[in-house]
Amino acid sequence: MYILLLKLFLFHLGKFPEVFMKKSGATLHPVQSLKEENLLQDFTNLLLFQKLCPRGSENLVRKSWHPCVPEEGGHVIEIQDLFYPNLETQKEPQLVIIEGAAGIGKSTLARQVRRAWEEGQLYRDCFQHVFFFSCRELAQYKQLSLAELIEQGQEVPTAPISQILSHPEKLLFILDGIDEPAWVLAEQNSELCLHWSQAQPVHTLLGSLLGKSILPEASFLLTARTTPLQKLIPSLEQPCWVKVLGFTEFERKNYFYKYFAKERDAITAFRLVESYPVLLTLCEVPWVCWLVCICLKRQLEQRRDLSLTSQTTTALCLKYLSLTIPGQHLGTHLRALCSMAAEGICQRRTLFSESDLCKQGLSKDAIDTFLKVGVLQYQPSSLSYSFAHLCLQEFFTAMSYILEDSEERYGNKDNERILETLIEHYGKQSLFEAPTVRFLFGLLSKKGWKEMKKFFYCNFSRKTKLKLLWHILAKTQPHQPPCLGLLHCLYENQEVELLTHVLHDLQGTIVPGTNEKAHTVFQTNTNHLVIQTDMDLMVVTFCIRFCCHVKSLQLNIERQQGHELTATRMVLFRQTPITDASWKIFFCILEFTINLEELDLSGNPLSYSAVHSLCMALEHPSCQLKTLWLVDCGLTSTHCSLLALLVSPHSSLTELDLQLNDLGDYGVKLLCAGLKNHVWNLCILRLDLSSLSDQVITELRTLESENPKLHISSAWKPRSTKWMDKEEVGDIPTSFKKQRQQSGDKPMESLRTKINFWGPTGPVATEVVDRERNMYRVQLPMAGSYHCRSTGLHFVVTRTVMIEIEFCVWSQYLEKTPFQQSLMVAGPLFDIKAEQGAVTAVYLPHFVSLQEKTVDISLFRVAHFQEHGMVLETPARVEQHYAVLENPSFSPMGILLRLIPAVGHFIPINSITLIYYHLYLEDVTFHLYLIPNDCTIRKAIDDEEMKFQFLRINKPPPVDALYVGSRYIVSGSKKVEIIPKELELCYRSPGESQLFSEICVGHIGSGIKLQLRDKKNMNLIWEALLKPGDIRPALPRIASAPTAAPSLLHFMDQHREQLVARVTSVDPLLDKLHGLVLSEDSYEAVRAETTNQDKMRKLFSLSRSWSQACKDQFYQALKETHPHLVMDLFEKSGGVSLGS
């Protein structure tokens, strides 16, 4: 299971970035060489999914249900790799099949591949000639010769036919919509195709080509809906399968900005869509996104208030009709259009002549109107008309079937005829995948029927037509579990009666019943359903609400979680990443699923936003969930303020599993606080106990003893459910101390710049191995999560492990890689070494700003530099400051961003300013740098400035994101000499000279204010006040006192001045001290002060009478509310103070 991200340009195709894969040789092998000209901005990100080619024809029948865990593999490639050797067979595929649902963008993709080749941007090294064919247009021809076919596939003849055919291995045939005509492309006898000038039936000619009877060396790119192609093409062999899954979340927004001419309209329209999670999910399908944009555009043109709350595609189409088609055409002419659409579907025709339209009774004025509003389109190449989209034709076809004048006495025969037509066109197995069938379900809902009657006069009842749905269900799904396609049909209908009747158990089978109805029979206890899109997830979750026997839902199972689900269970497999938008719609629907009792989300990374959506769903009165598994979901102490809501009196939960998450002491304390303060229903709480402190374990013991019904256990580490003894808890740190004592073969140097890690037991010091190579070593003493503030690295480990970290220089590696222009360095490069399997996740820092959501996170890659070249890996997830790799393998590694060439210089990044002053010069001189927030560059500058006795002054960085390549003007508040006065924000490798401005002040006096303004608009982007107190003479190094020294100051006393100045959120700190250290009167006295500084001064005045324990409470509260401040002060003090 892997994802392809395709850079598909809507108007012109720009440069595809390079991917460099490991090869058997020692050289780096670029997949495709592409020009750098014609770099254009208009592109669309389509999500593609490639699987390994099926082994045998029986696998070509697509199934969504599985009796066990489905096993599918694949590999990550880009669009330019489609014809690259298969990793299994090492053979170049000659046949690539791009499949996908209706309206997903397959045809647009196929046309743009051809255009990219014409412009020299794709496959130029592979193919000399590329021919594009629309199969719906080819179906208009009865016979063609090979020469005539090739002529049809070229916009302009490029060479004589004999020359073209002289190198068949250099030919690519693109057949768009291969499943649309009623063809059976059986392999033909080669003797029937002896000469390229011989005319023959089109399907015979194509069958010979695909069957390799003629031009066996040629390559083919086919597009088709998700159908069993084996019946259509019996000679199909070992294709490369690629499924189009629609728009990414980012590209849905991007589409709106391209569709609307005015940015203001795009912003307004997308905000409306974004406020309705269901509507945003529907926009995953490009043609539906187009439909939504048209509806909103019509409302803007008609000066209406924007309103669009459609829950289904059918409802959107009806809304489109009401906003698009003038009133005078809503009757007869619209009915005629429906009739023509149905006739076309029946005859597999999508192109209509003017006489075809006239035969249906459409006048010239009506045709012009339908062309003007965009329902119809004129095709000049074939002098014919078509619907704006095939899905639109199928929508009108569905209305035609309903509008047919059917008396009840002929109802069954009429239904049988309609069903036979549908099966003939779509096939029995793919019937519920067909848009026409889904539209039938939607139109025959109460809401759909009501809206449709606004357009047409109907002399029959809805009840009469509902028999058609029951007839379809009874005849097409006997003795089979409901397929994913059927769930989509039921979602379009949304009628409680129909859904409840069909889905009283989702694992049941539909069997014929009396009165044309169908009913389900329970079949198995567990079934597995593969879903690939947000739309699938929304549909399945919606339908589960009506499955009264489904008590347990499991999303993605990657390992045995140590528990058994005995209730009737549904297991969903999501083959693509689950975004926050996916979780939002999932939990939004889940809160109304009253039958669900068990939910297992183990193994799925959950962001803060996702956990918030989960908690809101579980607090809903309709939610009756009893058991929740969140094992290995990447949860931290940050999530625990939300997780505490799960044990509140409003929650129905009786069992909660939070194992294999890095909650830490603080997170568990928050859970304990929730359990202490309320009467709760929770009986079983599973946590990782091995990483908790003695104090927290004691607190948990007390909590369990006070509440006999509560059982707190750890089934993972340790495996027994008993509490660990104190000796067991302390065992890991003790052994770690012994190991450190025994490993002293050579003395280790302390760092000039502290690179300490912060973990479950507090700070962990890092030691210098080789200062020249910037190599460090850290021993992480126990399982847990460790973060280094100065480097940005974050490790999640399962046991004690030694990790070596070396700062590397990108230029040493990327210089060996051709086509660097398609990749942008987005973070530091580290060479990390660790025991395999000990690190379950590594968070690699990046400096790309994601706050404005203008950067597509799917463009992030982790570069591994290995013996045979560079390998690009897609991270498991991308967060604001990190890209996360799970179960990583280590090598020199760092974050790269795939560049869209036209916008390469418009990537927002997080930057920092570095200010240095000379230690001994009488006249004050500053050096000012503006660089990306990269610790390796900062370290290189620190070392370089230190050589010339310059020291750094810490000042806040720019708040807003800046752009690579932008220029900024440096200025001062008094007369100073600045050379140069302009700084460019650019990335330079740590080994290169960095740009800076030298600022000569002379005497600093009372202080000087420095500012940076962007050169283009002169907006202020950064300023800092440099005071005389910032410049101090160097102090001699004083050896640290031992931690047991009686005269050692407590942390809060040692850093009193800094704490008064830098604690910015005093009230949360006071809340944590209230009742523990501060009485009610003291609490109110501190809060009465007006400024944060005055509040802190008041707090320190009260602390004179505090005991050591009270000061420790203050330190713990400060760590929880201001962790970065505590870490910074700790590092600056050399890690010596009581309480720390």
Side-chain angles (χ1 to χ4, degrees), residues 66 170 305 512 549 658 670 698 749 753 795 896 1108:
H66 299 266
K170 292 290 187 179
D305 291 336
H549 291 92
L658 298 174
L670 287 175
T698 302
E749 214 176 328
T753 304
F795 295 101
L896 294 175
Q1108 181 77 24

Side-chain angles (χ1 to χ4, degrees), residues 1067 1069-1075 1078-1088 1102:
D1067 287 349
L1069 177 65
L1070 297 178
D1071 291 339
K1072 291 186 177 296
L1073 298 177
H1074 184 237
L1078 295 177
S1079 65
E1080 186 66 27
D1081 291 342
S1082 299
Y1083 175 82
E1084 293 298 336
V1086 177
R1087 290 200 65 200
L1102 297 172

